[in-house]
Amino acid sequence: MASATRIIRGAYRDSIALMRLSAAIAELPGVEQASLVMATPANLDLLREAGLLEGAVDARPSDVLIAVRGKGDKALAAAFDAAERGLAESAAAATGGGAPGAIAPRSAEMALAAAPRSNLALVSVPGEYAAAEATKALRLGLHVMLFSDNVPLADEIALKALARERGLLVMGPDCGTAIVNGVPLGFANVVRRGAIGCIGASGTGLQQVTCLIDRAGQGVSHAIGTGGRDLAAEVGGATTLAALAMLGADPATRVIVLVSKPPAPGVARTVLAAARVAGKPVVACFVGAEARAAPERNVHHAPTLADAARVAAALAAGRKPATSARWRAPARLPRTAAGQRYVRALYSGGTFAYEASHLLGALLGEVRSNAPVRKELALADPWASVGHTVVDLGADEFTRGRAHPMIDHRLRNERLVREAADPEVAVLLFDVVLGHGSHADPALAIAPALRAARAAAAKRRQPLALVGFVCGTAGDPQGLERQTCALAEAGVILGASNAEAVRIAAAIARGAAAGVAASTRGARKRPPRKASAARRAATRKGGKR
Amino acid sequence: MSSLIDRELAVVNVGLDAFADAVAAAGAPVVRVQWSPPADGDPEAVAALARLVADPAVEAANRTAFAAYLEAEPVLEGIALAREAIPGMTERTILHSGPPVAWKDMAGPMQGAVIGAALLEGWAADEAGARALAGRGEIRFAPCHHHDAVGPMAGIVCPSMPVWVVRNARHGNRAYSTLNEGLGKVLRYGANSPEVLDRLRWMADKLAPALAAGLARTGPIELKPLIGRALHMGDEMHNRNVAATGLLLKRLVAGVLRSAIPAHEAAAALEFVVGNDFFFLNPGMAACKCMLDAARGVPGSSMVTTMARNGVEFGIRVSGTGDAWFTAPAPVVDGLFFSGFTRADAARDIGDSAITETAGLGGFAMAAAPAIVQFVGGTPELALANTLEMRHVTVGRNPAFTIPQLGFAGTPAGIDVRKVVDTGIRPVINTGIAHRAPGVGQVGAGLTRAPAACFAKALVALARAA
């Protein structure tokens, strides 16, 4: 096995383009592994860890480094040629033809000169450059959606202060999704337009709420992402408050939904005070926090994302929302064998993982996670599950040098099969997220892993329950119907929402624990437990989506 | 905030292209920035850029600096001896092109020219003596730019040389340049043989007095209108000065003939000018220097006032950072080589002549000179594209220098260091290529780009000063 590297100077490409090209090169005959990266110090370290690179290289962050391992020089040479051809093709596509001297804009300022009516910059450059690009955009008078993560907290505070000074909105950093005037930004679903305005510090939380609103026959006016830290004490809810004011004044918005993990207590007070005077009903869903049954003035508290969508849809339709939703387990739950006890949940959406940790904890007791609701429930090793486990595969430890699990299913697929090898596992629980930015056909991508997981359990004559849900709409590029059908065919029991999928999983696990092979009893929702101050403090630090 | 939701969303996408696809699929307008890390990802430059882009103080300073450059009125006033005209020109001073450089570090052509100057001045009897003199530190070297002067290639100016005097009638500052020697074996390419020195002596003794006498009779010549006309006649004022030389000659010829200069000397002087298509390069450069010096020293301004190379380093100076040079290794020019020469023969980029590009001429005005592409290796489309591209890195356009092919639009002028760093578009320069060995002369011509590092360094300094 031989390996070699090549440097292409000054050939910046975005990470998705490079990952696509890497995957294509890795498929070539005789190539075992191929990686195209921008030669940043962090990326070079990753290549060294992967054994694809040895020693120092003379490369700058604006150079592309091609690292290939394969059988013999011929295969390597072919891989390099293909990589360079691929890079050249993407360059040709980017520059295009057109009139002489008509060049693609190289900066936001140039773009604005070419299109003076632009009003928003969608920034998704690597984290170390993100704050600078966002600052420039704000100075140029553009609102900003900052998709990039790894932006220092101090930069976030400075950006939001600058935005406030200029009367502009900064969504993010680490803002995964938004919908403005029907236009999807980042990882967003195609939802009907309507009267419900959404504000979310969590990307998948916003995606879940907007999708469920769509499915309930209502629509979304705007969905504003704020970034996961917006409701931390240091940031003080700057974007959330600005968005509340904006949607409060927006005639197209009749109901507002607010979604986040539990905010810092002081920030929660400020935000709820603003919500009370928003002039329209506000549904607040602080995922994992204490839920209040009774609405306070015009603020309705929803314990789960699904509840938030249900309540908002009812309000938008002019109906009084039901105070609590009764949930009944399906009449027939799958069998489990003796010794099968545990739920293993593998999520691509951070907020889904967090909500699942919280709900499963209430239903099953101790649940471990790499993004736990309480510190003491942290997994010692995020790569190894213990008892009931919820894993957020979108967390940093899993995404370093890899595409997000909503795009690349390989890591989760491997983990699904690994979990299935554990004879104590009764249920595999997972999310499937559709919409722009996500994998083009996630059901197809995950199917082989589900078959392999089932086969592994069958080998020792155990059944294995597969439970999931699809976060998506009929309008999404992947097609909700097509995805749900394919998953059902693969034997997945589908909940309508994360909360429902969690309850199904818990019901199966509890049935297994009670020694009931086929349960017909409904697993009723437990009354929410009172959250202690300590617990709230712990959850606040739960990290990004 | 209403500007976000009260009207149709129009997006500038900076980063992942897939996100722009989703926006376009939803029917919203989206412009895709072809982004790469500014300044090769240098964190200090990235931060400086974020601080200075669209900064109102910088914008205001640039308006001031650019206005001064536009208002300047360079006038060809006369010819004088360097020792008498150039401020600070002491008896043992030799001026050279580009940023400061020590004798031992000078490029081959520059050392050759220094030797020639020492012989011309009679400071040494031979090459060895001249080298020893320079080695002992007995010659004071300084950049032309530190003495209001500019010189092509090695840019050597020594005390007994005649120089053009160009005065800015609007602001009063002056700029100086030597008289152009022609092509082939000439001092500015490092040649120092007796024929080279003899020609220089003849230029001082005969040519300069004849032209000075002619100019005295003609009266001062306004150079901006002359340059403007030359652009319409296919010059770009750096690698093509055919038209401008003709226009200058047209203004001078009657004056020279009517002066007291003996007829045969007048004829020889006029013949020399007729035989040298580059004759206007030097006074043109002085005109550029004169206009740009008017824009110097505006606090906060990110406008470039100097680009110059000494054959080792490329240096720029910026209005808002005073006299500081920001340098990077000078590039080797890509171009066409005369028969018998290759890239291996080429010296690194050298000369103050990039002052033309700094002033919105040369490579920036290439669209005006489609004929130049034969000389520098390119196509007329490339000439047009280069001028249009420079619009993205400049403060404005110069209405005195218009380009018929572009609907008489002014040439892009006033390089903005912020825009160069933000876009990664480096200023284009049309230039001649010197042989790396002294005295061989020009071996080709071509296009080059100013090194990006100069601009990143200047930007960081500007942000520190802000």
Side-chain angles (χ1 to χ4, degrees):
Chain A
M1 203 59 66
S3 60
T5 58
R6 186 173 291 179
I7 292 163
I8 312 296
R9 298 277 178 208
Y12 184 86
R13 299 290 184 281
D14 74 44
S15 55
I16 291 182
L18 290 175
M19 281 173 198
R20 270 194 202 129
L21 199 49
S22 303
I25 305 300
E27 295 294 312
L28 295 175
V31 176
E32 191 206 341
Q33 215 177 341
S35 188
L36 279 80
V37 296
M38 296 315 301
T40 61
N43 283 339
L44 296 181
D45 284 348
L46 283 172
L47 288 184
R48 286 192 187 98
E49 275 173 33
L52 277 169
L53 180 65
E54 275 175 30
V57 285
D58 172 29
R60 296 163 303 182
S62 53
D63 301 335
V64 172
L65 188 127
I66 309 169
V68 185
R69 182 157 55 212
K71 292 189 194 103
D73 294 342
K74 221 170 162 184
L76 295 188
F80 284 132
D81 286 351
E84 291 199 25
R85 259 199 319 278
L87 288 171
E89 275 166 23
S90 63
T95 45
I103 53 174
R106 311 280 181 82
S107 65
E109 191 174 19
M110 256 179 94
L112 196 56
R117 284 191 54 79
S118 304
N119 59 347
L120 177 127
L122 171 46
V123 177
S124 56
V125 301
E128 56 265 51
Y129 311 109
E133 291 302 327
T135 306
K136 284 186 270 180
L138 288 171
R139 286 184 183 282
L140 292 165
L142 296 169
H143 300 277
V144 171
M145 167 158 164
L146 187 46
F147 177 86
S148 316
D149 58 4
N150 293 317
V151 173
L153 182 64
D155 288 346
E156 176 170 355
I157 294 167
L159 278 172
K160 289 182 174 178
L162 180 62
R164 189 194 163 103
E165 189 185 298
R166 305 280 165 116
L168 298 167
L169 192 71
V170 173
M171 297 185 267
D174 197 17
C175 175
T177 184
I179 302 170
V180 176
N181 271 326
V183 179
L185 300 170
F187 286 81
N189 300 91
V190 179
V191 300
R192 191 180 292 117
R193 294 192 73 172
I196 303 174
C198 303
I199 302 169
S202 108
T204 41
L206 264 186
Q207 285 189 271
Q208 172 83 99
V209 170
T210 53
C211 287
L212 293 177
I213 287 170
D214 183 270
R215 277 196 235 168
Q218 289 295 321
V220 171
S221 58
H222 309 282
I224 305 298
T226 66
R229 291 183 306 218
D230 191 62
L231 297 173
E234 298 89 332
V235 186
T239 300
T240 303
L241 292 170
L244 261 176
M246 185 177 82
L247 294 180
D250 174 30
T253 302
R254 293 204 310 272
V255 178
I256 297 172
V257 181
L258 199 57
V259 181
S260 85
K261 288 179 186 172
V267 179
R269 277 194 295 278
T270 313
V271 168
L272 288 173
R276 279 192 286 272
V277 297
K280 44 193 81 169
V282 176
V283 182
C285 174
F286 296 146
V287 176
E290 174 188 5
R292 291 185 204 168
E296 36 159 342
R297 280 199 47 188
N298 61 332
V299 178
H300 304 253
H301 287 273
T304 66
L305 298 165
D307 290 322
R310 179 179 53 78
V311 171
L315 290 168
R319 286 186 277 109
K320 191 172 182 296
T323 45
S324 69
R326 286 182 167 271
W327 184 78
R328 290 190 158 277
R332 298 188 64 80
L333 286 172
R335 292 167 171 283
T336 53
Q340 284 187 301
R341 284 178 284 187
Y342 296 131
V343 176
R344 298 282 160 83
L346 303 175
Y347 279 101
S348 59
T351 304
F352 294 143
Y354 195 78
E355 188 177 59
S357 274
H358 175 69
L359 294 174
L360 277 180
L363 295 167
L364 297 177
E366 203 163 89
V367 174
R368 298 195 178 271
S369 175
N370 62 330
V373 287
R374 294 200 306 276
K375 259 188 230 159
E376 64 271 24
L377 294 175
L379 276 174
D381 175 2
W383 299 87
S385 303
V386 181
H388 299 300
T389 293
V390 174
V391 183
D392 171 11
L393 288 156
D396 287 346
E397 58 265 37
F398 296 114
T399 54
R400 276 220 309 159
R402 249 189 228 100
H404 194 275
M406 286 180 201
I407 300 169
D408 185 341
H409 285 259
R410 283 176 296 182
L411 189 66
R412 180 161 74 174
N413 283 351
E414 287 163 21
R415 183 77 175 249
L416 281 166
V417 177
R418 201 140 43 88
E419 299 292 353
D422 182 343
E424 290 191 309
V425 170
V427 186
L428 294 180
L429 171 63
F430 55 89
D431 59 351
V432 173
V433 181
L434 311 184
H436 289 294
S438 290
H439 191 283
D441 192 348
L444 185 71
I446 202 172
L450 298 178
R451 275 197 299 276
R454 275 264 165 78
K459 236 182 180 175
R460 42 169 206 271
R461 297 166 188 249
Q462 282 187 332
L464 182 67
L466 304 173
V467 180
F469 71 102
V470 180
C471 177
T473 70
D476 280 333
Q478 299 88 347
L480 179 62
E481 179 84 16
R482 201 155 58 83
Q483 295 296 315
T484 50
C485 285
L487 290 166
E489 250 170 59
V492 180
I493 306 167
L494 289 167
S497 64
N498 183 40
E500 193 183 20
V502 167
R503 285 175 184 133
I504 293 170
I508 295 168
R510 284 161 84 191
V516 182
S519 169
T520 50
R521 281 181 296 154
R524 205 157 280 165
K525 199 185 128 198
R526 278 192 181 178
R529 296 196 316 193
K530 201 170 176 104
S532 69
R535 182 172 153 200
R536 242 184 270 135
T539 54
R540 196 164 14 95
K541 294 190 185 106
K544 62 192 195 82
R545 94 189 180 110
Chain B
M1 221 64 76
S2 55
S3 56
L4 180 60
I5 60 172
D6 285 0
R7 58 189 179 90
E8 189 196 5
L9 190 73
V11 176
V12 172
N13 189 61
V14 188
L16 302 173
D17 211 37
F19 289 162
D21 294 340
V23 172
V30 57
V31 190
R32 298 160 199 254
V33 173
Q34 205 186 321
W35 188 86
S36 63
D40 281 332
D42 168 33
E44 220 180 339
V46 166
L49 197 55
R51 174 141 176 228
L52 297 178
V53 164
D55 182 88
V58 179
E59 301 296 333
N62 282 352
R63 276 194 297 274
T64 303
F66 192 66
Y69 151 79
L70 287 184
E71 287 161 3
E73 292 168 17
V75 171
L76 192 59
E77 207 178 41
I79 296 175
L81 281 182
R83 69 159 59 85
E84 287 162 12
I86 296 179
M89 188 82 191
T90 58
E91 266 312 312
R92 276 287 170 98
T93 291
I94 290 181
L95 305 183
H96 60 77
S97 58
V101 58
W103 160 255
K104 63 176 173 44
D105 300 324
M106 283 178 190
M110 189 177 281
Q111 285 196 338
V114 165
I115 290 161
L119 297 175
L120 184 72
E121 294 292 335
W123 299 338
D126 53 19
E127 177 176 336
R131 283 185 179 278
L133 195 71
R136 286 198 305 273
E138 289 179 25
I139 300 173
R140 178 179 162 261
F141 293 108
C144 290
H145 270 290
H146 290 189
H147 292 267
D148 301 340
V150 274
M153 289 293 156
I156 296 304
V157 184
C158 52
S160 65
M161 282 183 179
V163 290
W164 292 108
V165 180
V166 176
R167 191 174 79 89
N168 175 357
R170 178 64 178 256
H171 303 96
N173 58 297
R174 285 185 172 81
Y176 310 90
S177 68
T178 53
L179 276 57
N180 193 288
E181 314 156 74
L183 290 174
K185 289 205 169 177
V186 287
L187 188 77
R188 69 175 188 281
Y189 283 98
N192 52 31
S193 58
E195 62 173 296
V196 172
L197 302 183
D198 284 346
R199 187 190 305 115
L200 287 170
R201 285 188 193 103
W202 173 79
M203 287 169 69
D205 295 344
K206 303 293 181 192
L207 177 66
L211 297 179
L215 188 56
R217 288 194 76 88
T218 306
I221 299 172
E222 285 186 46
L223 290 178
K224 252 160 91 167
L226 191 152
I227 292 170
R229 280 186 78 190
L231 286 181
H232 290 186
M233 295 164 75
D235 281 357
E236 43 70 89
M237 315 309 301
H238 190 166
N239 257 341
R240 191 173 197 276
N241 279 282
V242 180
T245 299
L247 291 172
L248 178 66
L249 186 69
K250 204 162 74 141
R251 295 294 300 274
L252 287 176
V253 66
V256 172
L257 294 177
R258 286 181 190 284
S259 70
I261 300 291
H264 69 281
E265 287 182 14
L270 293 172
E271 271 169 4
F272 182 81
V273 177
V274 167
N276 181 0
D277 284 347
F278 275 88
F279 194 70
F280 187 79
L281 174 65
N282 299 34
M285 283 170 58
C288 292
K289 167 81 175 156
C290 201
M291 293 185 278
L292 287 163
D293 274 355
R296 279 175 67 187
V298 178
S301 170
S302 58
M303 183 174 143
V304 176
T305 53
T306 306
M307 291 199 293
R309 316 81 98 195
N310 60 27
V312 180
E313 283 190 311
F314 189 113
I316 68 168
R317 296 193 298 176
V318 175
S319 177
T321 52
D323 291 334
W325 288 91
F326 305 98
T327 63
V332 175
V333 180
D334 232 349
L336 289 184
F337 288 88
F338 302 158
S339 63
F341 297 102
T342 68
R343 194 180 153 90
D345 298 311
R348 288 180 179 277
D349 199 14
I350 185 166
D352 287 334
S353 55
I355 196 72
T356 55
E357 278 81 11
T358 319
L361 298 168
F364 284 50
M366 205 173 166
I372 195 71
V373 298
Q374 293 184 312
F375 193 45
V376 297
T379 62
E381 289 77 18
L382 175 81
L384 201 58
N386 280 355
T387 292
L388 291 174
E389 191 184 15
M390 291 306 110
R391 288 181 176 181
H392 301 297
V393 294
T394 41
V395 176
R397 300 187 197 164
N398 191 332
F401 304 148
T402 62
I403 298 178
Q405 292 89 327
L406 292 174
F408 293 93
T411 62
I415 301 162
D416 186 336
V417 290
R418 297 173 306 170
K419 291 179 178 174
V420 173
V421 177
D422 205 10
T423 61
I425 297 173
R426 297 178 292 142
V428 65
I429 295 168
N430 294 352
T431 197
I433 305 171
H435 197 284
R436 59 194 304 165
V440 180
Q442 186 171 7
V443 294
L447 300 179
T448 188
R449 297 268 181 168
C454 303
F455 299 87
K457 286 178 189 172
L459 190 73
V460 168
L462 203 63
R464 281 197 194 132

